[in-house]
Amino acid sequence: MTPFRTFCKSRQEIKDDEQEIKDDEQEIKDDEQEIKDDESKNGRNKMRKTVVIAMIIGAAMLFAAPAGAFVAKTGDMADKTNRNISVDEGVLTLHGLLSEPQAGAPEEIAIRFMRENLGILNLDETILSGLRHLQTKESLTAFHVRYQQTCGGYDVIGGQISAHIRKDGVVQVVHNGIKSIVNTFEAPLVHKSAAFSIAKLAVGFAVPLGYVPQNIRPVVLPIDGGVLAWQTFVPALEPLGAWTVYIDTKLGTILGIGDMASYMEIPATLFRANPVVLSKDPNFKDNQLGINDESFDGMYTDVLVKNLDDTLVAIGMLSGPHAFIIDNIEFAVDGVTDFVCTREDPRFEGLMCYFGIDESQLYIQSFGFTDLFNKPMSIAARGLPGVQNAMCVHGGVLGLPDPFTEVLILGWHALASTMLPAEVPVAGWGGDETDGFIDTAEDPIVVLHEYGHAILGDAGFTSGGAEGGAVHEGFADWWGSICLAPYSDGLWDNYIGEWFSSYIKKSEAEGVPPALRNMVGNKTYDDMEGEVHVDGEIWSSPLWDIWMELGRENASRLVLESIHFLPASGGFEDAAFAVLQADVNLNNGENGYFLLKTFEARLFEPAIPEGLNTLPPVVDSGASAQETETKGTPGFEAVSLIGVLFAGLVALVRRRQK
Ligand SMILES: [Zn+2]
C-alpha cells in the first residue's frame, strides 16, 4: 500500500468520522445546554487552542467524555466556595471562588488544588505525576500556571491544564483539557525519517521548501484510548502552508493532516545596527565574551518579529515563510508574549537572523519582486561553536528536500557553555590569536551578506571563478549594508562588519572603525588579487556609487532587477551590463551616462544595451555642448549606432517635455 493510498483512505475515513462527529455534536450540544442551565453564573471561557486535526478525529470522544461525567458531580461543591462548570470543545472549565486564599508558590497551589479535586476534574495521580510544567505567568491580578499532559513520557496532543490563581492565593479558574488515555506505548517501529518521507508525500510537496527534518517527535494522539504518532511539520509553498502530519509509529499510516499556518508577530529587542555604529565609537569593544553589560545600554531596538508560524512557535521553534531557525534552542513555549532579551540570551542570535532575513525579504517584495528567494532560508544561528565565521551550504550538499535552498551556519563563542571543553582554543580569523570573540550573528550584516549570496544564486548567478566570486561578494556586502541603512543614521554604511571585526582587524585610520571591507575606494579591474572577498570591493564600490547617486530605494530596485540579467557564470562586465540593461527596462536608460562613467572608473567596458541614454544629463547650455562632451568621453567606443540614435530620441523627447 502506497502512502498516497493510505492518505486517500484516511481522508475517506475522516469524512465518515466527520458525519458521526456531527451527529455526536448535536447530542453534546444538548448535554451542554443542560449543563449551562445548571450554571449559577453566565461566565463563558474561550477554548484553549488545541490541535485541530486531532480534534476532528477524536472529537466524538473528546466532547462526550467530560460532559456526562460532570453533571452528576456539580452537586458536591464545597461550602465556602462558589464553583461553576462549563465544557467547551473538549475543555472543562471550573470558575468562581474555587478555593480559600492559600499560601505558597503558584505551582504548589495549582497542584494542591488539582489533587484535592481529582474527582471533579476527572484526574488521577497518574495523570498528575505526568504533568509537565510549561510556564507560569504573572499578570496584574493573578498567576497563570500551565501544564502539558504526558503519557509514557510523550506529550498528549491537546492535553493541557491551566490554573489561574488570584494573587491572594484564591484559585479562580481551571481549564482542563486533559485527555483520557488508557493505552500504553511501545517504542516506534517506523523510523522518523520514514515518517517524514510519508508526510512529504501526503502534503504533495509540489514546491518543497528548505527544511531540515528536526523536531519530528513522537506524541500521543487522544484517539481510540491513545495512539502513538510521529508529529511532523512540512512547510510547503504549494500547497502553501505549514503542514502538520501525524504518522502512526507502528503502522506508518497517516492519522491526521492539516495546515497549521497562522502567522503572528512577537515583540523583541535586537541590534539593528552593529554595536560599533550604535556606540559611535570606532574602537568600541566587548571584553566579556558575550555578556550583556551597561556598555550596551540603549543599543537594543524594539522590533516586531513578523510572519512567525504560531504552531511552530508553540513548540519552541522560530519559523516563517522566509526564515527557519534550526538551532536546537527553545525559542518560546506555548503562550509566549515577547522575545525581549539581550545578547547573552541563547535566543538572541536566532532572533537576529530571523528578523534580518524576514525584513530583507519584505524589502525585496516591496518593489514587486515576488520570486527572489521567496522561501525559508534555514539558519543555524549558533551552528559553529568556537568559530567566529559564517558559511552558506547548498541544500543539495546536505541532501535536503530542496537542493536549491541554502543553509546558513554561523559561529558563536560557546566558551561560556558546556559545549566545548575549556582547553579548546578560540579559532581566530585566519588562525591568528585573538583576545576576544563576537558571536557572528550579533553583527547584523553577516546574515544579510549571506542572504545576498542566496538572492544572487536564486536569480541564477552561480559565480564563475575569481571574477564571478568577487561579483558575488561585492553584491553581498552592498546588499547587507543597504538593508541596514535605515538603522545606522548614515554612519559608516560603507564599512562592512565593524562589530565582527572589532577583535580581528585593525582600523585603516584614526577615527574609523576596523572593518572587513570598505565599499568606498578606487580599486579597478587591474587591482584584482584573486581573493574573492578582497576583490569584491571592485564591484561593491560602483554599487555604492549607484546607491549614493540614485538613493537607497531606486538603487535597490535597479540592482535587484539587474541580477536577473546575469549569465550563470560571469564577471564584472557582465554584472555592469546587467545594471545597464535593467536601467533601460526600468528607467528608459536615463541613468546611462552616470552608470557608464561609474563603470569606466573601474576600467570596466561592458556591452551597451540598446536604449541606454549615454548622453550626459541635460544642462542649460544646450544640445551642442552635450554632443561634444559625449563624443569626447573615452570609454564610449562600444556605443552602438542604434543605441546613440535611440538615446538621442529619448533625450529629445525629454527635452520637449520640459
Ligand atoms: Zn560572502
Side-chain angles (χ1 to χ4, degrees):
M1 182 178 282
T2 69
F4 273 120
R5 287 205 187 108
T6 307
F7 173 47
C8 293
K9 193 180 164 206
S10 293
R11 280 180 96 170
Q12 189 51 50
E13 284 172 353
I14 289 168
K15 274 185 186 160
D16 296 344
D17 287 348
E18 280 174 351
Q19 192 49 50
E20 278 180 44
I21 289 164
K22 274 180 192 158
D23 298 342
D24 288 345
E25 275 177 348
Q26 194 49 52
E27 284 178 39
I28 292 162
K29 273 183 188 153
D30 297 344
D31 287 349
E32 283 180 352
Q33 195 50 51
E34 280 180 43
I35 293 170
K36 277 175 192 157
D37 294 344
D38 290 342
E39 288 175 1
S40 56
K41 286 186 180 176
N42 292 326
R44 178 81 182 166
N45 293 278
K46 301 282 180 198
M47 68 171 280
R48 290 274 302 118
K49 185 175 180 188
T50 49
V51 178
V52 178
I53 290 306
M55 291 293 293
I56 291 171
I57 298 170
M61 183 207 72
L62 300 181
F63 289 175
F70 294 107
V71 178
K73 293 188 179 178
T74 47
D76 303 334
M77 293 297 159
D79 311 325
K80 295 172 186 175
T81 53
N82 153 21
R83 299 183 180 186
N84 307 282
I85 295 183
S86 65
V87 179
D88 190 6
E89 307 279 345
V91 176
L92 172 102
T93 296
L94 280 181
H95 60 100
L97 298 172
L98 301 179
S99 75
E100 303 282 349
Q102 298 175 63
E107 298 82 7
E108 286 171 35
I109 295 174
I111 292 292
R112 193 187 310 139
F113 179 82
M114 291 179 210
R115 183 159 282 129
E116 287 170 358
N117 294 278
L118 291 176
I120 195 161
L121 288 166
N122 205 20
L123 300 173
D124 58 36
E125 277 298 332
T126 311
I127 292 174
L128 277 195
S129 64
L131 291 182
R132 181 164 63 83
H133 179 245
L134 283 175
Q135 69 171 18
T136 300
K137 283 259 177 207
E138 182 177 359
S139 67
L140 297 179
T141 62
F143 294 99
H144 310 269
V145 193
R146 294 176 192 278
Y147 294 91
Q148 167 68 49
Q149 179 186 9
T150 69
C151 192
Y154 305 112
D155 282 5
V156 177
I157 294 301
Q160 286 197 11
I161 186 166
S162 62
H164 306 262
I165 303 155
R166 211 166 64 186
K167 290 204 174 162
D168 62 0
V170 170
V171 179
Q172 282 187 301
V173 180
V174 174
H175 297 298
N176 178 14
I178 296 295
K179 309 305 178 203
S180 168
I181 306 296
V182 296
N183 298 337
T184 53
F185 308 107
E186 290 159 16
L189 294 177
V190 176
H191 192 266
K192 72 175 177 181
S193 61
F196 187 65
S197 300
I198 294 167
K200 282 189 296 181
L201 288 168
V203 169
F205 227 58
V207 181
L209 296 181
Y211 181 73
V212 178
Q214 290 189 348
N215 289 73
I216 295 178
R217 57 172 191 157
V219 296
V220 174
L221 287 183
I223 50 176
D224 302 332
V227 175
L228 193 62
W230 287 111
Q231 181 190 46
T232 68
F233 294 96
V234 185
L237 193 59
E238 198 181 313
L240 180 66
W243 298 88
T244 301
V245 186
Y246 294 100
I247 312 285
D248 192 311
T249 59
K250 253 188 213 162
L251 306 172
T253 51
I254 293 166
L255 297 168
I257 179 169
D259 178 14
M260 298 299 169
S262 161
Y263 297 110
M264 64 197 296
E265 298 180 347
I266 299 180
T269 46
L270 298 173
F271 294 151
R272 291 324 296 149
N274 72 62
V276 176
V277 167
L278 291 166
S279 70
K280 296 185 165 51
D281 171 6
N283 303 310
F284 183 78
K285 271 191 170 55
D286 158 43
N287 288 314
Q288 295 180 310
L289 290 173
I291 305 301
N292 190 58
D293 63 23
E294 66 277 3
S295 62
F296 294 92
D297 286 355
M299 289 196 183
Y300 296 93
T301 301
D302 292 327
V303 298
L304 265 185
V305 183
K306 294 179 181 170
N307 297 316
L308 287 163
D309 182 318
D310 66 348
T311 309
L312 298 185
V313 167
I315 60 164
M317 294 164 72
L318 205 56
S319 177
H322 311 133
F324 175 58
I325 307 300
I326 59 179
D327 294 42
N328 191 21
I329 290 172
E330 194 160 0
F331 282 92
V333 291
D334 192 19
V336 66
T337 53
D338 67 51
F339 289 138
V340 173
C341 60
T342 64
R343 60 193 295 256
E344 63 193 60
D345 190 302
R347 301 171 300 169
F348 190 73
E349 285 76 21
L351 286 161
M352 286 285 294
C353 292
Y354 180 94
F355 182 85
I357 284 182
D358 189 60
E359 187 180 55
S360 182
Q361 178 58 225
L362 293 178
Y363 181 56
I364 291 169
Q365 291 178 20
S366 74
F367 298 106
F369 297 101
T370 56
D371 189 22
L372 199 48
F373 212 91
N374 190 358
K375 55 186 174 181
M377 183 183 223
S378 301
I379 304 148
R382 286 187 160 198
L384 297 169
V387 178
Q388 184 181 331
N389 211 330
M391 62 182 182
C392 208
V393 186
H394 295 284
V397 176
L398 297 178
L400 294 184
D402 177 3
F404 301 105
T405 194
E406 314 265 352
V407 176
L408 177 54
I409 307 171
L410 302 176
W412 66 293
H413 67 270
L415 294 180
S417 80
T418 54
M419 286 185 69
L420 285 181
E423 63 270 20
V424 173
V426 177
W429 191 248
D432 295 343
E433 274 189 31
T434 173
D435 57 353
F437 200 96
I438 302 299
D439 290 346
T440 310
E442 272 193 15
D443 196 327
I445 204 167
V446 177
V447 70
L448 291 167
H449 169 99
E450 299 299 338
Y451 199 48
H453 285 306
I455 292 166
L456 211 42
D458 193 63
F461 186 66
T462 49
S463 159
E467 232 181 282
V471 169
H472 246 278
E473 296 302 334
F475 171 79
D477 280 349
W478 179 83
W479 180 251
S481 186
I482 215 161
C483 285
L484 294 168
Y487 300 103
S488 69
D489 212 10
L491 185 63
W492 298 324
D493 283 342
N494 54 307
Y495 289 107
I496 305 299
E498 301 97 305
W499 183 233
F500 184 90
S501 307
S502 57
Y503 281 108
I504 58 178
K505 295 286 247 188
K506 296 264 182 291
S507 171
E508 282 177 345
E510 189 70 28
V512 301
L516 295 175
R517 293 174 286 277
N518 182 358
M519 294 192 286
V520 171
N522 301 314
K523 282 190 180 178
T524 71
Y525 214 152
D526 290 346
D527 295 315
M528 272 193 74
E529 295 177 22
E531 202 289 315
V532 289
H533 299 89
V534 174
D535 293 342
E537 290 180 334
I538 301 171
W539 182 239
S540 66
S541 71
L543 291 182
W544 170 266
D545 289 351
I546 292 169
W547 174 3
M548 293 301 110
E549 174 75 12
L550 303 185
R552 177 176 180 256
E553 310 244 314
N554 287 333
S556 299
R557 183 191 293 108
L558 177 68
V559 175
L560 288 176
E561 180 69 12
S562 82
I563 61 177
H564 294 81
F565 287 94
L566 287 164
S569 65
F572 298 123
E573 291 179 340
D574 296 299
F577 166 80
V579 172
L580 298 174
Q581 182 65 59
D583 191 56
V584 168
N585 292 19
L586 284 176
N587 309 315
N588 291 323
E590 67 183 31
N591 299 303
Y593 181 80
F594 159 74
L595 292 171
L596 284 172
K597 294 291 269 185
T598 302
F599 295 140
E600 181 194 320
R602 277 79 188 184
L603 307 182
F604 302 156
E605 295 180 10
I608 308 297
E610 200 170 305
L612 191 75
N613 182 1
T614 60
L615 299 174
V618 177
V619 287
D620 291 333
S621 51
S624 61
Q626 283 178 28
E627 275 169 20
T628 312
E629 196 183 329
T630 305
K631 281 176 188 163
T633 306
F636 280 68
E637 295 85 353
V639 178
S640 73
L641 184 61
I642 295 172
V644 170
L645 287 173
F646 183 77
L649 199 63
V650 170
L652 195 65
V653 169
R654 287 174 62 213
R655 224 167 287 139
R656 284 203 174 147
Q657 283 172 340
K658 273 196 149 183

mmCIF file of all heavy atoms in Angstrom, residues 271-295:
data_model
loop_
_atom_site.group_PDB
_atom_site.id
_atom_site.type_symbol
_atom_site.label_atom_id
_atom_site.label_comp_id
_atom_site.label_asym_id
_atom_site.label_seq_id
_atom_site.Cartn_x
_atom_site.Cartn_y
_atom_site.Cartn_z
ATOM 1 N N PHE A 271 19.827 44.096 18.038
ATOM 2 C CA PHE A 271 20.735 45.085 17.446
ATOM 3 C C PHE A 271 20.314 45.254 15.991
ATOM 4 O O PHE A 271 20.336 44.281 15.232
ATOM 5 C CB PHE A 271 22.185 44.582 17.442
ATOM 6 C CG PHE A 271 22.816 44.411 18.799
ATOM 7 C CD1 PHE A 271 23.809 43.457 18.990
ATOM 8 C CD2 PHE A 271 22.454 45.213 19.871
ATOM 9 C CE1 PHE A 271 24.412 43.298 20.225
ATOM 10 C CE2 PHE A 271 23.060 45.057 21.114
ATOM 11 C CZ PHE A 271 24.042 44.094 21.290
ATOM 12 N N ARG A 272 19.949 46.460 15.567
ATOM 13 C CA ARG A 272 19.650 46.638 14.146
ATOM 14 C C ARG A 272 20.755 47.383 13.424
ATOM 15 O O ARG A 272 20.826 47.374 12.211
ATOM 16 C CB ARG A 272 18.288 47.308 13.940
ATOM 17 C CG ARG A 272 17.102 46.454 14.306
ATOM 18 C CD ARG A 272 17.274 44.964 13.995
ATOM 19 N NE ARG A 272 17.424 44.645 12.583
ATOM 20 C CZ ARG A 272 18.134 43.630 12.123
ATOM 21 N NH1 ARG A 272 18.826 42.866 12.945
ATOM 22 N NH2 ARG A 272 18.196 43.394 10.842
ATOM 23 N N ALA A 273 21.580 48.095 14.136
ATOM 24 C CA ALA A 273 22.883 48.459 13.588
ATOM 25 C C ALA A 273 23.863 47.717 14.483
ATOM 26 O O ALA A 273 23.484 47.213 15.541
ATOM 27 C CB ALA A 273 23.101 49.958 13.648
ATOM 28 N N ASN A 274 25.120 47.612 14.067
ATOM 29 C CA ASN A 274 26.032 46.861 14.929
ATOM 30 C C ASN A 274 26.492 47.746 16.088
ATOM 31 O O ASN A 274 26.432 48.976 16.012
ATOM 32 C CB ASN A 274 27.185 46.272 14.111
ATOM 33 C CG ASN A 274 28.161 47.324 13.652
ATOM 34 O OD1 ASN A 274 28.785 47.995 14.474
ATOM 35 N ND2 ASN A 274 28.294 47.491 12.337
ATOM 36 N N PRO A 275 26.933 47.146 17.184
ATOM 37 C CA PRO A 275 27.273 47.932 18.374
ATOM 38 C C PRO A 275 28.361 48.981 18.161
ATOM 39 O O PRO A 275 28.375 49.989 18.870
ATOM 40 C CB PRO A 275 27.717 46.858 19.377
ATOM 41 C CG PRO A 275 26.932 45.652 18.983
ATOM 42 C CD PRO A 275 26.897 45.696 17.476
ATOM 43 N N VAL A 276 29.252 48.785 17.198
ATOM 44 C CA VAL A 276 30.265 49.819 16.939
ATOM 45 C C VAL A 276 29.577 51.077 16.404
ATOM 46 O O VAL A 276 29.826 52.194 16.864
ATOM 47 C CB VAL A 276 31.327 49.311 15.935
ATOM 48 C CG1 VAL A 276 32.306 50.421 15.595
ATOM 49 C CG2 VAL A 276 32.055 48.096 16.498
ATOM 50 N N VAL A 277 28.665 50.880 15.452
ATOM 51 C CA VAL A 277 27.916 52.016 14.899
ATOM 52 C C VAL A 277 27.039 52.636 15.979
ATOM 53 O O VAL A 277 26.975 53.858 16.130
ATOM 54 C CB VAL A 277 27.062 51.553 13.690
ATOM 55 C CG1 VAL A 277 26.052 52.619 13.291
ATOM 56 C CG2 VAL A 277 27.966 51.199 12.510
ATOM 57 N N LEU A 278 26.378 51.781 16.761
ATOM 58 C CA LEU A 278 25.454 52.290 17.777
ATOM 59 C C LEU A 278 26.185 53.097 18.843
ATOM 60 O O LEU A 278 25.660 54.060 19.384
ATOM 61 C CB LEU A 278 24.691 51.122 18.416
ATOM 62 C CG LEU A 278 23.688 50.428 17.480
ATOM 63 C CD1 LEU A 278 23.236 49.102 18.073
ATOM 64 C CD2 LEU A 278 22.492 51.323 17.201
ATOM 65 N N SER A 279 27.416 52.696 19.145
ATOM 66 C CA SER A 279 28.194 53.412 20.165
ATOM 67 C C SER A 279 28.802 54.690 19.589
ATOM 68 O O SER A 279 29.235 55.556 20.337
ATOM 69 C CB SER A 279 29.319 52.520 20.683
ATOM 70 O OG SER A 279 30.311 52.353 19.672
ATOM 71 N N LYS A 280 28.856 54.780 18.247
ATOM 72 C CA LYS A 280 29.538 55.870 17.537
ATOM 73 C C LYS A 280 31.015 55.956 17.944
ATOM 74 O O LYS A 280 31.657 56.988 17.801
ATOM 75 C CB LYS A 280 28.833 57.216 17.778
ATOM 76 C CG LYS A 280 27.408 57.264 17.220
ATOM 77 C CD LYS A 280 26.808 58.657 17.380
ATOM 78 C CE LYS A 280 25.572 58.893 16.542
ATOM 79 N NZ LYS A 280 24.506 57.898 16.635
ATOM 80 N N ASP A 281 31.530 54.856 18.478
ATOM 81 C CA ASP A 281 32.927 54.801 18.910
ATOM 82 C C ASP A 281 33.635 53.760 18.046
ATOM 83 O O ASP A 281 33.359 52.561 18.154
ATOM 84 C CB ASP A 281 32.983 54.390 20.388
ATOM 85 C CG ASP A 281 34.404 54.099 20.858
ATOM 86 O OD1 ASP A 281 35.361 54.320 20.075
ATOM 87 O OD2 ASP A 281 34.554 53.631 22.001
ATOM 88 N N PRO A 282 34.547 54.196 17.175
ATOM 89 C CA PRO A 282 35.183 53.236 16.255
ATOM 90 C C PRO A 282 35.963 52.145 16.984
ATOM 91 O O PRO A 282 36.231 51.093 16.411
ATOM 92 C CB PRO A 282 36.107 54.110 15.403
ATOM 93 C CG PRO A 282 36.280 55.372 16.160
ATOM 94 C CD PRO A 282 35.039 55.568 16.972
ATOM 95 N N ASN A 283 36.314 52.397 18.231
ATOM 96 C CA ASN A 283 37.107 51.404 18.969
ATOM 97 C C ASN A 283 36.278 50.615 19.979
ATOM 98 O O ASN A 283 36.832 49.943 20.847
ATOM 99 C CB ASN A 283 38.255 52.111 19.694
ATOM 100 C CG ASN A 283 39.116 52.893 18.720
ATOM 101 O OD1 ASN A 283 39.542 52.350 17.692
ATOM 102 N ND2 ASN A 283 39.334 54.172 18.995
ATOM 103 N N PHE A 284 34.947 50.709 19.869
ATOM 104 C CA PHE A 284 34.090 50.014 20.836
ATOM 105 C C PHE A 284 34.363 48.511 20.796
ATOM 106 O O PHE A 284 34.412 47.900 19.740
ATOM 107 C CB PHE A 284 32.618 50.281 20.521
ATOM 108 C CG PHE A 284 31.675 49.659 21.521
ATOM 109 C CD1 PHE A 284 31.460 50.252 22.758
ATOM 110 C CD2 PHE A 284 31.026 48.472 21.235
ATOM 111 C CE1 PHE A 284 30.599 49.678 23.686
ATOM 112 C CE2 PHE A 284 30.161 47.884 22.154
ATOM 113 C CZ PHE A 284 29.950 48.492 23.382
ATOM 114 N N LYS A 285 34.536 47.937 21.983
ATOM 115 C CA LYS A 285 34.839 46.504 22.069
ATOM 116 C C LYS A 285 34.024 45.845 23.170
ATOM 117 O O LYS A 285 33.590 46.485 24.114
ATOM 118 C CB LYS A 285 36.330 46.308 22.383
ATOM 119 C CG LYS A 285 37.224 46.229 21.171
ATOM 120 C CD LYS A 285 38.608 45.763 21.600
ATOM 121 C CE LYS A 285 39.489 45.423 20.421
ATOM 122 N NZ LYS A 285 39.612 46.511 19.451
ATOM 123 N N ASP A 286 33.893 44.559 23.015
ATOM 124 C CA ASP A 286 33.255 43.741 24.037
ATOM 125 C C ASP A 286 34.360 42.987 24.753
ATOM 126 O O ASP A 286 35.135 42.276 24.121
ATOM 127 C CB ASP A 286 32.295 42.757 23.369
ATOM 128 C CG ASP A 286 32.015 41.558 24.240
ATOM 129 O OD1 ASP A 286 31.801 41.757 25.445
ATOM 130 O OD2 ASP A 286 32.022 40.431 23.719
ATOM 131 N N ASN A 287 34.463 43.146 26.066
ATOM 132 C CA ASN A 287 35.546 42.468 26.780
ATOM 133 C C ASN A 287 35.067 41.304 27.621
ATOM 134 O O ASN A 287 35.817 40.749 28.396
ATOM 135 C CB ASN A 287 36.281 43.470 27.669
ATOM 136 C CG ASN A 287 37.103 44.408 26.819
ATOM 137 O OD1 ASN A 287 37.807 43.966 25.915
ATOM 138 N ND2 ASN A 287 36.992 45.702 27.075
ATOM 139 N N GLN A 288 33.800 40.964 27.463
ATOM 140 C CA GLN A 288 33.292 39.964 28.396
ATOM 141 C C GLN A 288 32.658 38.765 27.716
ATOM 142 O O GLN A 288 31.811 38.103 28.275
ATOM 143 C CB GLN A 288 32.297 40.621 29.353
ATOM 144 C CG GLN A 288 32.982 41.649 30.239
ATOM 145 C CD GLN A 288 32.005 42.289 31.185
ATOM 146 O OE1 GLN A 288 30.954 42.736 30.764
ATOM 147 N NE2 GLN A 288 32.344 42.315 32.449
ATOM 148 N N LEU A 289 33.067 38.493 26.504
ATOM 149 C CA LEU A 289 32.650 37.272 25.826
ATOM 150 C C LEU A 289 31.143 37.031 25.846
ATOM 151 O O LEU A 289 30.661 36.055 26.402
ATOM 152 C CB LEU A 289 33.376 36.067 26.431
ATOM 153 C CG LEU A 289 34.873 36.003 26.127
ATOM 154 C CD1 LEU A 289 35.520 34.881 26.910
ATOM 155 C CD2 LEU A 289 35.130 35.823 24.650
ATOM 156 N N GLY A 290 30.444 37.946 25.253
ATOM 157 C CA GLY A 290 29.016 37.712 25.056
ATOM 158 C C GLY A 290 28.131 38.124 26.205
ATOM 159 O O GLY A 290 26.931 37.904 26.161
ATOM 160 N N ILE A 291 28.714 38.700 27.246
ATOM 161 C CA ILE A 291 27.898 39.104 28.387
ATOM 162 C C ILE A 291 27.299 40.483 28.116
ATOM 163 O O ILE A 291 27.948 41.348 27.546
ATOM 164 C CB ILE A 291 28.755 39.164 29.678
ATOM 165 C CG1 ILE A 291 29.460 37.830 29.906
ATOM 166 C CG2 ILE A 291 27.899 39.553 30.869
ATOM 167 C CD1 ILE A 291 28.539 36.641 30.037
ATOM 168 N N ASN A 292 26.069 40.659 28.532
ATOM 169 C CA ASN A 292 25.453 41.973 28.408
ATOM 170 C C ASN A 292 25.873 42.824 29.606
ATOM 171 O O ASN A 292 25.850 42.366 30.735
ATOM 172 C CB ASN A 292 23.935 41.823 28.389
ATOM 173 C CG ASN A 292 23.252 43.117 28.026
ATOM 174 O OD1 ASN A 292 23.509 43.664 26.962
ATOM 175 N ND2 ASN A 292 22.421 43.619 28.900
ATOM 176 N N ASP A 293 26.308 44.047 29.358
ATOM 177 C CA ASP A 293 26.585 44.947 30.480
ATOM 178 C C ASP A 293 26.130 46.353 30.107
ATOM 179 O O ASP A 293 25.557 46.567 29.043
ATOM 180 C CB ASP A 293 28.064 44.904 30.888
ATOM 181 C CG ASP A 293 28.982 45.395 29.780
ATOM 182 O OD1 ASP A 293 28.514 46.149 28.899
ATOM 183 O OD2 ASP A 293 30.170 45.026 29.785
ATOM 184 N N GLU A 294 26.434 47.328 30.979
ATOM 185 C CA GLU A 294 25.864 48.666 30.778
ATOM 186 C C GLU A 294 26.388 49.339 29.513
ATOM 187 O O GLU A 294 25.773 50.274 29.010
ATOM 188 C CB GLU A 294 26.101 49.550 32.017
ATOM 189 C CG GLU A 294 27.546 49.895 32.316
ATOM 190 C CD GLU A 294 28.263 48.790 33.107
ATOM 191 O OE1 GLU A 294 27.655 47.720 33.381
ATOM 192 O OE2 GLU A 294 29.438 48.985 33.437
ATOM 193 N N SER A 295 27.521 48.854 28.970
ATOM 194 C CA SER A 295 28.018 49.493 27.751
ATOM 195 C C SER A 295 27.078 49.247 26.563
ATOM 196 O O SER A 295 27.181 49.910 25.541
ATOM 197 C CB SER A 295 29.434 49.005 27.424
ATOM 198 O OG SER A 295 29.438 47.619 27.184
#
